[in-house]
Amino acid sequence: MTDSAQFALYSLLLPAGSFLLLAVVAPLRRSGRPAGFISIVFSAAALGWAVRAWLHSSREVFQPPLLWEWIPAEAGPLATVGVLADADSTIMLVLVALVSFLVQVYSLGYLAHEPAQGLGRYYAYQSLFAFSMMGLVLAPNFVQLFIFWELVGLCSYLLIGYWYGKPEAARAAVKAFWTTKAGDVGLLIGIVLLWQRTGTFDFLELLMQVDAGTLPLEGLGLVTFCIYLGAVGKSAQFPLHVWLPDAMEGPTPVSALIHAATMVTAGVYLLKRTDWLFALTPDVLALVGWVGAFTALLAATLACAQSDIKRVLAYSTVSQLGYMMAAIGAGFASAGFLHLLTNGLFKALLFLGAGAVIHAVGSNDIFQMGGLRRAMPQTTIVFLVGALSLAGIPLFGGFFSKDEVLGAVWAGGLTAPFVMLVVTAFLTAFYMFRVVFIAFFGEPASQGHGAHVGAGHSSAAHGGTHLQDPLPTMALPFWLLAIMSVGVGILFTVRHPEHEFAAPGWLTPLVVTVSVGGILLAWLTYHRRVVDAERLAAAFGLVREAALAKFWVDDVFEAMYRGALLAFSRAVGWMDRYLVDGIVNVLSAWTLVLGDRLRRMQSGQPQDYVYGVALGLLLLLVLIQWPR
Amino acid sequence: MPAGMLPVGTSAMPLHAYLTLAATLFAIGLFGVVTRRNTIGILLGIELMLNAVNINLVAFARFNGDPAGMVFTVFTICITVAEVAVGLALVILIFRIRRTVIADHLDLLRG
Amino acid sequence: MTLEPLAFWALSALLVGSALAVVLTKNLFHSVLYLALALTGTAGIFLALEAEFLAAVQLLLYAGGVVTIVVFAIVVTERLVGERITQTSRQIVSGVVVAGGVLIGVLTFIARAPLPATRPPLVADVTQAIGQLLFSRFVLPFELLAVLFLAALLGATYFARPDE
């Protein structure tokens, strides 16, 4: 029993305890804010244990997992449950615990006007999510991972649909659930196939088999592809990325936690966890890289056309997930993992900042904001930090990891994906600063936009008292995240960790130049207005059209749904109506006719019954005398 | 078959003969039950069949040397008398209600 | 005893003939009279089987009682109908087939069965044996028979009661 695994276990059990407490003790849950405090205290404790586990794990070389037997079978247990605390899982654990804690604190302010009952429910879900995500991160085998994988999916569904009274939210929750479920089916099939050929679910045992070279390679591509499908759904890769933007219907803190920092990165984490398995199937790995890069570019294009601040961030999340996947596809999973961690910090920061803005303005539309710099200086600063981190400017959080990802992709020999990612880097900087210049700088919205006057009056009247920096419960979390983002950025800029690969010298200048170029273009277009936004959009006419239509991916899915599923339903309906019912009707008709015929046997004449008796007697006699 | 060779208390006629006679009477009675239209006629057929059964019982009792069969015959005769009494009462009752003694018309049980 | 086969054949001929007459005669009243003849013949068979008591019972109860009741019934019914009741038969062919089938079946069965050809000597008085059995081994059925008679008496009286 190791310290690190033990600490991780405490960290895992604390949110489970708070969830059970809130779920079982109904009066506590209905009390609202006290429930929130309990959940926060528990998650703070969980964060403490997570940090201890991380500190311990980085010292030790190898930690045997804590395991308990589960699903007993003749030849030893079929599966185990436990805690596998190594360097990767503990740092991820810290990220999850940290963001979860900060988001829960932030939610106290953000959801202050919610009814007490709803707030209690919200915190119960939050605790459940923290527990599930930690269980996923610490899972020592595929079975446990899959169970928690589904649990986080459930939490995601519950939290997206938190405002279930709103039809869009309810629909988005269902869409997220179904879309990720489509990938999960692949994951499940992959896990079972893998078990069929190796006889184990355990990561360490599988790793030993891989090291010993005893793992059968034939058909392994299908297995890894199926596992990758799970990651495609969860980590919003093309073409299953469609659920993530819609998931923004949930409360903003939820988006920050689940749909930016933790759950959506579960797919990346899974691939990182099993990178030795994927290394055996280079074809699938290349597919991961290509799809990742394509997703990154596609999402970045989409982000440029959005006016909803949360949707811009959602697409940027999809795009960054594409980055991570591309690095993994290039064969350097740790680069992708590093980007996962930094992205978790600054993306949560961006969402919390956006949440503060939305809370103050009362709208998601960036064109109804503007000039927030004066009213909300703190928020502006942290949002700027987040944007700079995302854009990959030196000294900020995302700089080094983005550099690392691009270097990995280049070193992995994926040239075309590399080009796509560089374009994406430019677009990333552009769309982020488009938001920054429109929302935080420039003129206040209510003066410039006559069309919005009607709507603007109410929002201005409503926002007039609210347009200020949020209270400490909300400000503290994003300040902490901002400091950490900058801290990590400075740390990595000053003290580069060692590269796993030889990155070319021109890479860093190229990335910085491209990013600065993006920012510059955004500045010229939306702040100095030297470049006309309309003309710029017109220059990319077709792409813009396509982006506004979300590249028709949703339409394709809808058409597929309409075409395939409805046709199938119709066929099934036809079969039920005519075949099944037909058979039943024919049977019932036969029964009626037969009954009618049989009825006539009962003539009511006593003598006919005597015939029956006599025939029975004859039959008996014949039977008795049958030649023996 | 010289009678002198038979021991005292024995008969020349075997059990087969009696049983065959009973079976024949039974068949005739059955024929009567099945074909008669008149309810009283059917009852007469039943009497014949029961009579055949009685012959069987007595023959078996005699040939097996067990008087229990004869006791049964006493019972059968008694029960038959009771049956006839009730049966004829029923016939009269049916006649009163349906105004017929023709069995063909008595089909209240028809399905 | 040498008369026994002769008596048997004669009685058999009488029995079969009168039985056929019972089921074939058109006149219901004649039918009943033939039945009386058949029952008397049966009493003769009982005598041939050395069951004198049963022969007596047969004559008294059956030929006397049953036939009397049936005659009464016929007379009553005819008076109710107001005309002479004629007997007709239906489905004679199927009746012959069924009755013949059963007869052949039973006869085949009898022919194959290993049955005693001779009867054992009488050890005691048969009538006395019947009497003793009736009041020892079969006393319960005997008493039940009394109940049955009572029930039949009441039932028949109830059914045949005059209309109110």
Side-chain angles (χ1 to χ4, degrees):
Chain A
M1 195 167 278
T2 57
D3 290 347
S4 155
Q6 190 119 43
F7 297 151
L9 182 66
Y10 297 152
S11 182
L12 170 66
L13 291 180
L14 278 164
S18 91
F19 166 68
L20 284 178
L21 201 62
L22 294 183
V24 174
V25 187
L28 183 63
R29 184 176 69 244
R30 296 206 187 98
S31 66
R33 286 182 85 83
F37 287 128
I38 283 179
S39 184
I40 289 167
V41 168
F42 273 76
S43 72
L47 175 63
W49 286 113
V51 170
R52 277 197 75 178
W54 175 49
L55 293 176
H56 272 262
S57 78
S58 43
R59 281 190 214 123
E60 292 167 34
V61 181
F62 172 72
Q63 301 86 15
L66 270 178
L67 289 179
W68 288 274
E69 289 188 1
W70 187 46
I71 313 186
E74 250 176 80
L78 193 61
T80 52
V81 284
V83 167
L84 176 59
D86 56 8
D88 288 346
S89 64
T90 46
I91 183 73
M92 186 81 180
L93 188 70
V94 170
L95 176 72
V96 173
L98 174 71
V99 180
S100 170
F101 168 67
L102 291 179
V103 160
Q104 288 190 18
V105 173
Y106 181 90
S107 300
L108 270 188
Y110 189 82
L111 296 174
H113 305 301
E114 281 295 303
Q117 228 165 343
L119 198 63
R121 182 163 58 86
Y122 174 81
Y123 273 103
Y125 291 162
Q126 280 279 1
S127 292
L128 180 62
F129 174 76
F131 164 65
S132 312
M133 192 65 207
M134 286 174 176
L136 192 160
V137 168
L138 295 171
N141 58 47
F142 272 118
V143 176
Q144 188 182 336
L145 181 128
F146 184 77
I147 291 167
F148 283 106
W149 184 275
E150 292 299 328
L151 265 178
V152 291
L154 171 72
C155 294
S156 161
Y157 165 80
L158 291 171
L159 284 169
I160 294 171
Y162 173 67
W163 285 309
Y164 55 79
K166 222 165 67 169
E168 301 89 17
R171 201 174 304 142
V174 173
K175 183 172 175 182
F177 196 72
W178 279 115
T179 315
T180 51
K181 188 61 66 186
D184 293 351
V185 172
L187 176 62
L188 183 60
I189 293 172
I191 291 171
V192 173
L193 283 178
L194 189 65
W195 177 80
Q196 187 196 22
R197 61 187 53 233
T198 61
T200 180
F201 294 116
D202 200 90
F203 290 143
L204 293 178
E205 279 179 40
L206 284 167
L207 183 57
M208 272 189 274
Q209 285 192 16
V210 170
D211 285 344
T214 53
L215 196 106
L217 286 179
E218 201 181 331
L220 194 64
L222 180 67
V223 175
T224 49
F225 178 72
C226 285
I227 293 175
Y228 172 58
L229 278 183
V232 168
K234 211 54 132 194
S235 289
Q237 296 291 291
F238 177 84
L240 298 183
H241 64 273
V242 291
W243 66 271
L244 190 53
D246 287 16
M248 295 302 130
E249 293 294 343
T252 310
V254 169
S255 308
L257 173 62
I258 300 184
H259 305 117
T262 56
M263 189 198 80
V264 288
T265 59
V268 179
Y269 180 76
L270 171 66
L271 262 58
K272 160 66 183 154
R273 205 95 178 108
T274 55
D275 57 347
W276 30 266
L277 195 65
F278 280 82
L280 297 176
T281 53
D283 292 346
V284 176
L285 214 50
L287 178 74
V288 173
W290 276 89
V291 171
F294 180 68
T295 309
L297 181 58
L298 184 84
T301 331
L302 286 167
C304 294
Q306 296 295 323
S307 58
D308 180 328
I309 187 167
K310 281 187 77 180
R311 278 178 180 265
V312 172
L313 292 177
Y315 278 119
S316 88
T317 305
V318 176
S319 176
Q320 299 307 305
L321 289 167
Y323 263 93
M324 300 169 204
M325 284 294 193
I328 289 172
F332 299 101
S334 37
F337 188 59
L338 187 66
H339 196 55
L340 188 165
L341 297 173
T342 53
N343 174 69
L345 286 179
F346 62 71
K347 190 55 63 62
L349 165 63
L350 280 169
F351 265 105
L352 296 189
V357 172
I358 293 166
H359 195 64
V361 176
S363 164
N364 284 9
D365 194 343
I366 51 175
F367 293 109
Q368 290 191 25
M369 301 168 184
L372 296 175
R373 179 168 50 95
R374 286 180 211 94
M376 307 173 73
Q378 287 187 43
T379 314
T380 309
I381 291 170
V382 294
F383 199 85
L384 207 55
V385 168
L388 287 168
S389 293
L390 182 58
I393 301 301
L395 295 181
F396 289 98
F399 161 66
F400 178 72
S401 58
K402 189 176 265 190
D403 213 32
E404 195 83 341
V405 166
L406 285 166
V409 175
W410 178 259
L414 301 171
T415 315
F418 174 78
V419 175
M420 287 195 231
L421 291 180
V422 171
V423 175
T424 307
F426 175 79
L427 289 172
T428 308
F430 174 71
Y431 69 67
M432 269 329 291
F433 279 87
R434 172 172 167 264
V435 171
V436 168
F437 287 128
I438 291 176
F440 290 94
F441 295 87
E443 302 302 312
S446 47
Q447 297 168 13
H449 291 268
H452 289 294
V453 165
H457 262 304
S458 62
S459 80
H462 171 76
T465 51
H466 273 81
L467 269 180
Q468 58 188 32
D469 274 322
L471 297 169
T473 43
M474 286 166 74
L476 210 63
F478 65 55
W479 272 113
L480 264 172
L481 283 170
I483 291 164
M484 273 190 267
S485 281
V486 177
V488 166
I490 293 172
L491 179 74
F492 283 146
T493 316
V494 174
R495 201 166 58 89
H496 273 218
E498 283 174 31
H499 282 296
E500 282 184 38
F501 43 83
W506 46 263
L507 183 70
T508 311
L510 172 74
V511 176
V512 174
T513 311
V514 162
S515 301
V516 172
I519 297 172
L520 206 62
L521 181 63
W523 182 67
L524 289 174
T525 313
Y526 295 104
H527 194 61
R528 302 298 301 173
R529 301 197 186 276
V530 175
V531 181
D532 185 24
E534 289 303 316
R535 200 171 293 164
L536 184 69
F540 293 97
L542 194 65
V543 178
R544 183 166 175 272
E545 287 284 309
L548 282 176
K550 299 187 212 163
F551 285 95
W552 300 286
V553 176
D554 282 275
D555 299 302
V556 167
F557 277 128
E558 203 173 296
M560 268 165 64
Y561 173 77
R562 289 257 160 81
L565 199 62
L566 287 187
F568 179 71
S569 314
R570 228 168 269 137
V572 169
W574 184 88
M575 266 175 61
D576 185 58
R577 212 165 296 126
Y578 294 100
L579 253 75
V580 178
D581 284 7
I583 290 170
V584 171
N585 285 343
V586 165
L587 279 181
S588 71
W590 282 354
T591 312
L592 274 177
V593 169
L594 208 66
D596 194 53
R597 299 258 163 86
L598 280 175
R599 187 174 64 92
R600 300 195 188 150
M601 259 177 63
Q602 297 285 335
S603 65
Q605 309 260 325
Q607 284 148 307
D608 288 342
Y609 299 107
V610 177
Y611 276 118
V613 175
L615 284 174
L617 177 65
L618 263 179
L619 200 68
L620 272 177
L621 286 168
V622 170
L623 272 177
I624 290 169
Q625 300 180 49
W626 203 256
R628 275 162 267 206
Chain B
M1 213 182 302
M5 292 187 67
L6 291 167
V8 177
T10 56
S11 163
M13 293 315 290
L15 182 54
H16 279 111
Y18 289 95
L19 296 189
T20 308
L21 175 64
T24 313
L25 284 179
F26 184 85
I28 292 170
L30 177 63
F31 172 79
V33 170
V34 173
T35 55
R36 282 307 199 191
R37 279 208 163 86
N38 192 303
T39 329
I40 297 172
I42 295 170
L43 271 175
L44 298 185
I46 293 172
E47 291 307 310
L48 277 179
M49 288 164 78
L50 281 164
N51 210 41
V53 171
N54 282 346
I55 293 175
N56 263 3
L57 278 171
V58 176
F60 272 116
R62 179 64 192 89
F63 278 80
N64 289 330
D66 183 0
M70 302 203 185
V71 178
F72 265 91
T73 312
V74 175
F75 289 149
T76 322
I77 291 169
C78 294
I79 289 171
T80 310
V81 172
E83 175 245 319
V84 168
V86 176
L88 286 171
L90 280 173
V91 168
I92 291 170
L93 191 64
I94 287 169
F95 180 81
R96 273 199 198 140
I97 295 170
R98 304 285 306 259
R99 287 278 134 195
T100 182
V101 284
I102 307 301
D104 287 3
H105 301 164
L106 305 175
D107 55 358
L108 278 176
L109 281 175
R110 189 168 72 196
Chain C
M1 279 303 160
T2 47
L3 281 175
E4 198 252 345
L6 194 65
F8 176 79
W9 288 116
L11 284 172
S12 292
L14 174 71
L15 264 176
V16 173
S18 55
L20 281 172
V22 169
V23 295
L24 291 175
T25 317
K26 283 239 167 19
N27 190 322
L28 185 59
F29 199 72
H30 291 172
S31 231
V32 179
L33 292 181
Y34 282 122
L35 180 70
L37 188 60
L39 296 177
T40 317
T42 310
I45 290 290
F46 287 172
L47 276 177
L49 285 166
E50 294 159 290
E52 297 84 2
F53 174 69
L54 284 179
V57 171
Q58 175 85 3
L59 276 179
L60 282 172
L61 265 185
Y62 241 127
V66 171
V67 171
T68 314
I69 300 174
V70 176
V71 169
F72 268 127
I74 292 168
V75 171
V76 168
T77 323
E78 281 186 342
R79 261 196 53 201
L80 285 172
V81 177
E83 63 183 48
R84 173 137 300 194
I85 298 172
T86 49
Q87 281 268 75
T88 48
S89 297
R90 69 203 264 277
Q91 302 175 340
I92 291 180
V93 177
S94 50
V96 168
V97 169
V98 166
V102 171
L103 178 63
I104 292 167
V106 175
L107 287 182
T108 326
F109 185 71
I110 293 169
R112 290 200 186 174
L115 295 169
T118 56
R119 43 181 113 168
L122 284 173
V123 284
D125 188 358
V126 178
T127 312
Q128 194 185 354
I130 289 172
Q132 273 167 351
L133 276 174
L134 262 182
F135 288 96
S136 57
R137 207 170 128 201
F138 295 104
V139 71
L140 185 65
F142 183 77
E143 297 296 336
L144 283 177
L145 202 59
V147 177
L148 177 77
F149 272 142
L150 182 65
L153 191 66
L154 287 175
T157 318
Y158 175 76
F159 284 148
R161 77 194 185 284
D163 293 319
E164 276 91 42

